[in-house]
Amino acid sequence: MPLTKLLCLFAASFLSCVEICFGQSSTPYWKQTNGPPGGFVNTLAVNTHGHLFAGTWSGIFRTTNDGEHWTWLNTRYNIHSIAALAINSQGHIFAGADLGLFRSVNNGETWAFINSSLQSVSFIGVAPNDHIFAGNYRSIDNGNTWMKTNLPVNYFFAMALNRNGHLFVGAERGVYRSVDEGQSWHFFALSSINVYVISLAFDADGNVLAGTMNGVYLSTDNGETWQQTSLSNTRVITLGVNEQDHYFAATEDFSDLSVTTHLFRSIDHGDSWVRCDTLLPKQAVSALAFGSNGEIFAGMKGPGVFRSTDKGQSWATMNLNNSEVSSLALDSQGQVFAGTREGNGGLFRSDNRGENWEGFGLNDYTIRSLAINSRGHFFVAVHSFDSGKQEQLGVYRSTDRGETWTLIGLESLWIGALAVDSQDRIFAALDGDYLVFHSADGGMNWTESKLEGLPAAIGIRTLAVNADDHVFVGTEFSIFRSTNHGESWVELKTGLTQPDIRAIAVNSQGHIFFGAWAGARGIYRSTDEGVNWERRSQGLTNGFVISLAINAHGDIFAGTDGSFGPPGAAKVFRSTDNGESWAPISDGSGQEQITSLVIDSRGYLFGGTIHGGVFRSEASTTAVREKNENLANSFSLLQNYPNPFNPSTNIRYDLPQAVRVKLVLYNLLGEKVRTLVDASESAGAKQVTWNGLNDRGTRVASGIYVYRLEAGTFTATRKLLLMK
């Protein structure tokens, strides 16, 4: 058989293996983990089957099994910022979103865009005759056409429909009421003082509850007159009444330094109130819904949805996986850490590859970047859009695994990226400027360096550190490298006008890859230390690359931004040939951006997303190459994995031909520590494990060691870090 034909047959069989491993079988390659929970839940609705629907900043979610699993329902439209949900007698669901109004007639499986002019509607209600009210508009034909009501005010804060179809609107000083579907209105003041009505509800007797900036008011005559309940001097943002006629009021009060939130219950029509939020997180309840079996569902401004089956005495999380994950990191024990956006719950961790998550601090901030040093200390760069928190921004450190946090420096600065090298030096890049800071003492002191020769606001996008402790900075205009721990920088000119570099990765051969986001979008590679660059994006159907990762086999993974494409445009791509070609390994469902990628010591790939929480590969990314052991076409020595490590690590190398091999470990004094290989070996990809023992069988001390490969005339050295 001719050699070319044999090679083609071999390549075809290998590609078939790759297709099976990449998710063409019945088992998906890319799965959503169980969190972290989070996201601003604006509204909740329950249908007659007990299915719970949550409208969030990230879209619409549905659970049919009490929160064990949530389904992202935006299968066709990028429906974001859901402010209102309602369900009519036929089970049709209406959603108010930033784009306009949507309707689903099949339990949320598909959606029709029914009105683009009614954008950001904060209220949708269904009258007993199934007429739909959305803000100041009414539809009598299931949402197909809309007519404006005669509401005399343009700005209002709450709307509600009672069982008689009477429409109430909460506004400044009081309540407007219409008994003829919005054709005429009457105004009723709540109090002699100026109170804003920001929430409304009705009890079983038709009494009207109004939540205001000054507590809860009650009307027993359909809104004609009002009296204040005992819950006063607090801002009531959410009201609800269950089937037992118990009132629930969620409050939120602001001071100069903090926000106080509570959930209260009254079982005597507002005469007295008791707190029922003991086990709820310290975020406001922004939505309430009640199940037919007495359950209470609380939608939060941060950690998702909670459920109580005992009238609010205890609560359980329902794991709504819609959080916006802006950063991911792994520690030496294999725990996964996810930093979320402000309002999503702060920092989370999982010790079982995403099956369960727990929060551990900084829940009032956006976790912009996260890094962990060899001692297990956490460093977090936080952002906030709250003007009252600007002096609290900077870099936080925890030395006790998240139990306590300390602001250690760079106060009031918006730090966009963090990185840690093998010597535990910390690097911090200023977001939207040209400054990079570095610290050699755990963040206690910082030294500033500048990227010279660029405009003032160049927008540093990313930081990366390779195995040789070279630091790379990606900016809007170029890529920079420092070989002296950030003291000085050299520009690696890409030849592109404005690549907008969002991600950088360096493989074991020293090849540099960056993902470009703007007009030059795609992936670029340099095999000569950044002197020359070439675009390598074959098969990359989405070129908005914002995250990169490389596994122990040298496979490259690219996460993309789908914000500007159709639903499903955000995908993870994989290259097994050093970037020459790419293939998708995810379908993009439930995600808008793949913001971050990390790979654990077992080869599992984790992706942090916008609108999807954290996703994980079903199988190890390194397992897919096991059937391809003998495809090595050049000598190479790969970076050990994991690194840092304890108690053992794997060292891989490639041999294109049979050769005599010697692999030896040395300490930094040049003294031999352990001979790992000294034998003739056949061609192929090889792996050897070092368990931290020297040639005498004694465990060596923590520190940096050098491993050197001699294979024929080929030699290469790399460093590794043993951490105890």
Side-chain angles (χ1 to χ4, degrees):
M1 180 181 295
L3 178 60
T4 54
K5 186 174 182 180
L6 177 64
L7 290 174
C8 288
L9 287 174
F10 180 79
S13 64
F14 173 66
L15 288 174
S16 298
C17 169
V18 169
E19 281 189 353
I20 292 173
C21 296
F22 282 7
Q24 300 300 317
S25 65
S26 59
T27 302
Y29 182 81
W30 192 242
K31 63 173 286 188
Q32 189 175 41
T33 71
N34 289 325
F40 195 124
V41 180
N42 292 307
T43 179
L44 294 170
V46 183
N47 68 10
T48 56
H49 301 291
H51 300 169
L52 179 65
F53 298 83
T56 75
W57 278 352
S58 306
I60 305 172
F61 295 80
R62 179 189 67 208
T63 179
T64 61
N65 53 8
D66 292 329
E68 291 297 321
H69 176 72
W70 291 84
T71 301
W72 189 65
L73 297 179
N74 302 356
T75 54
R76 182 179 178 188
Y77 299 95
N78 280 322
I79 312 176
H80 300 154
S81 301
I82 307 301
L85 287 173
I87 303 174
N88 69 7
S89 63
Q90 304 174 64
H92 299 172
I93 311 168
F94 297 84
D98 55 351
L99 296 178
L101 287 179
F102 294 81
R103 179 185 64 209
S104 174
V105 298
N106 54 7
N107 209 37
E109 294 298 323
T110 58
W111 294 84
F113 195 15
I114 58 176
N115 196 304
S116 60
S117 61
L118 296 178
Q119 296 179 356
S120 301
V121 171
S122 58
F123 167 80
I124 302 176
V126 179
N129 59 2
D130 266 355
H131 290 181
I132 315 295
F133 291 84
N136 195 19
Y137 288 80
R138 179 186 66 167
S139 173
I140 62 174
D141 57 4
N142 208 37
N144 293 318
T145 60
W146 295 84
M147 61 192 78
K148 194 171 184 179
T149 71
N150 294 321
L151 182 65
V153 291
N154 292 323
Y155 301 101
F156 48 89
F157 311 102
M159 297 185 77
L161 278 159
N162 71 9
R163 61 190 178 187
N164 297 318
H166 298 172
L167 185 61
F168 292 78
V169 170
E172 184 179 359
R173 297 187 302 110
V175 171
Y176 289 85
R177 184 192 70 193
S178 174
V179 298
D180 55 8
E181 297 195 323
Q183 300 308 303
S184 61
W185 295 85
H186 290 86
F187 176 76
F188 305 99
L190 268 67
S191 170
S192 58
I193 63 174
N194 191 11
V195 294
Y196 289 83
V197 178
I198 53 181
S199 53
L200 290 165
F202 306 96
D203 68 13
D205 297 324
N207 299 326
V208 192
L209 287 84
T212 74
M213 303 290 286
N214 191 40
V216 176
Y217 288 75
L218 179 68
S219 173
T220 59
D221 54 9
N222 207 35
E224 300 278 342
T225 60
W226 296 84
Q227 61 183 2
Q228 189 169 30
T229 72
S230 62
L231 186 62
S232 60
N233 299 316
T234 185
R235 183 173 182 260
V236 180
I237 61 172
T238 308
L239 283 170
V241 181
N242 69 3
E243 289 187 350
Q244 289 78 39
D245 231 17
H246 297 172
Y247 300 170
F248 293 85
T251 66
E252 185 177 47
D253 293 304
F254 297 89
S255 68
D256 292 338
L257 298 176
S258 63
V259 180
T260 303
T261 63
H262 293 302
L263 181 64
F264 292 89
R265 181 186 70 221
S266 173
I267 62 175
D268 53 11
H269 295 88
D271 289 337
S272 62
W273 298 81
V274 296
R275 281 182 55 189
C276 57
D277 59 0
T278 306
L279 299 178
L280 280 175
K282 295 180 180 180
Q283 265 107 15
V285 175
S286 51
L288 287 168
F290 303 93
S292 58
N293 296 319
E295 314 100 315
I296 309 171
F297 302 101
M300 310 295 291
K301 281 189 176 181
V305 180
F306 285 71
R307 181 185 69 217
S308 175
T309 58
D310 55 8
K311 302 176 183 179
Q313 298 304 309
S314 62
W315 297 87
T317 180
M318 296 185 69
N319 289 322
L320 179 57
N321 306 330
N322 73 321
S323 55
E324 301 191 13
V325 177
S326 51
S327 53
L328 286 176
L330 295 160
D331 69 3
S332 58
Q333 280 75 46
Q335 292 189 108
V336 189
F337 298 86
T340 65
R341 181 176 172 175
E342 185 176 9
N344 277 219
L347 201 57
F348 293 83
R349 65 182 164 205
S350 173
D351 59 6
N352 53 11
R353 297 202 301 277
E355 294 301 320
N356 301 100
W357 296 83
E358 62 174 337
F360 69 116
L362 301 175
N363 55 359
D364 293 328
Y365 303 96
T366 293
I367 310 300
R368 181 63 180 84
S369 187
L370 168 65
I372 306 172
N373 70 10
S374 65
R375 301 174 64 187
H377 296 173
F378 293 89
F379 299 87
V380 172
V382 304
H383 288 189
S384 176
F385 291 99
D386 185 343
S387 59
K389 298 178 183 176
Q390 296 308 302
E391 294 183 357
Q392 304 168 35
L393 305 187
V395 177
Y396 284 76
R397 182 186 66 196
S398 175
T399 60
D400 52 13
R401 304 193 64 76
E403 295 297 325
T404 58
W405 293 90
T406 303
L407 179 59
I408 59 171
L410 309 183
E411 293 89 342
S412 303
L413 296 181
W414 283 57
I415 300 301
L418 293 172
V420 177
D421 69 10
S422 66
Q423 301 287 320
D424 280 349
R425 285 178 286 256
I426 312 159
F427 300 87
L430 186 61
D431 196 5
D433 212 324
Y434 59 105
L435 299 179
V436 180
F437 302 87
H438 57 274
S439 172
D441 56 4
M444 301 306 297
N445 297 282
W446 296 86
T447 301
E448 172 188 308
S449 59
K450 296 181 180 181
L451 306 180
E452 301 291 350
L454 289 173
I458 62 169
I460 293 177
R461 305 301 196 188
T462 185
L463 277 173
V465 180
N466 72 2
D468 297 319
D469 281 348
H470 296 175
V471 187
F472 295 83
V473 171
T475 75
E476 290 183 42
F477 295 95
S478 193
I479 185 171
F480 288 77
R481 179 177 61 200
S482 173
T483 59
N484 55 6
H485 317 306
E487 295 294 335
S488 61
W489 299 87
V490 174
E491 183 179 3
L492 306 179
K493 296 185 181 296
T494 65
L496 303 172
T497 303
Q498 190 173 349
D500 199 356
I501 297 169
R502 299 294 182 97
I504 301 172
V506 183
N507 69 9
S508 62
Q509 298 172 291
H511 299 171
I512 309 168
F513 299 83
F514 71 77
W517 186 84
R521 57 183 179 267
I523 293 177
Y524 293 77
R525 180 186 71 191
S526 174
T527 60
D528 55 8
E529 298 289 329
V531 176
N532 296 288
W533 296 89
E534 49 195 0
R535 190 172 188 268
R536 287 294 179 264
S537 299
Q538 180 182 341
L540 201 68
T541 56
N542 180 354
F544 292 93
V545 178
I546 56 177
S547 54
L548 289 171
I550 300 177
N551 71 7
H553 287 178
D555 299 343
I556 314 165
F557 298 86
T560 60
D561 182 355
S563 305
F564 305 99
K571 291 182 171 67
V572 179
F573 294 83
R574 177 176 186 163
S575 173
T576 60
D577 54 9
N578 206 36
E580 294 293 331
S581 61
W582 299 84
I585 60 171
S586 71
D587 62 6
S589 62
Q591 308 148 30
E592 184 181 321
Q593 299 176 11
I594 314 297
T595 59
S596 46
L597 292 170
V598 294
I599 302 171
D600 71 9
S601 60
R602 299 178 61 185
Y604 285 90
L605 176 70
F606 294 83
T609 75
I610 301 296
H611 300 163
V614 176
F615 281 68
R616 188 197 75 211
S617 60
E618 279 278 13
S620 169
T621 62
T622 55
V624 71
R625 302 269 313 265
E626 296 301 325
K627 294 184 179 180
N628 193 33
E629 289 289 329
N630 295 317
L631 285 184
N633 54 19
S634 63
F635 288 103
S636 65
L637 176 63
L638 284 68
Q639 185 63 48
N640 66 300
Y641 207 88
N643 188 44
F645 70 95
N646 181 23
S648 63
T649 187
N650 298 315
I651 299 173
R652 297 183 59 87
Y653 52 95
D654 293 330
L655 305 176
Q657 63 192 46
V659 71
R660 181 76 183 185
V661 174
K662 194 169 185 178
L663 180 62
V664 181
L665 275 157
Y666 300 89
N667 61 25
L668 292 182
L669 298 177
E671 300 167 338
K672 187 176 74 168
V673 174
R674 177 79 177 270
T675 299
L676 296 173
V677 179
D678 188 3
S680 296
E681 294 192 325
S682 59
K686 308 296 181 181
Q687 177 176 300
V688 62
T689 299
W690 182 43
N691 58 7
L693 303 180
N694 59 23
D695 280 333
R696 298 187 300 275
T698 303
R699 186 163 299 278
V700 301
S702 298
I704 299 173
Y705 295 85
V706 176
Y707 56 101
R708 175 181 174 85
L709 175 70
E710 298 178 5
T713 59
F714 173 82
T715 60
T717 59
R718 290 201 170 273
K719 292 184 290 185
L720 53 78
L721 175 61
L722 171 60
M723 181 183 67
K724 295 181 181 179

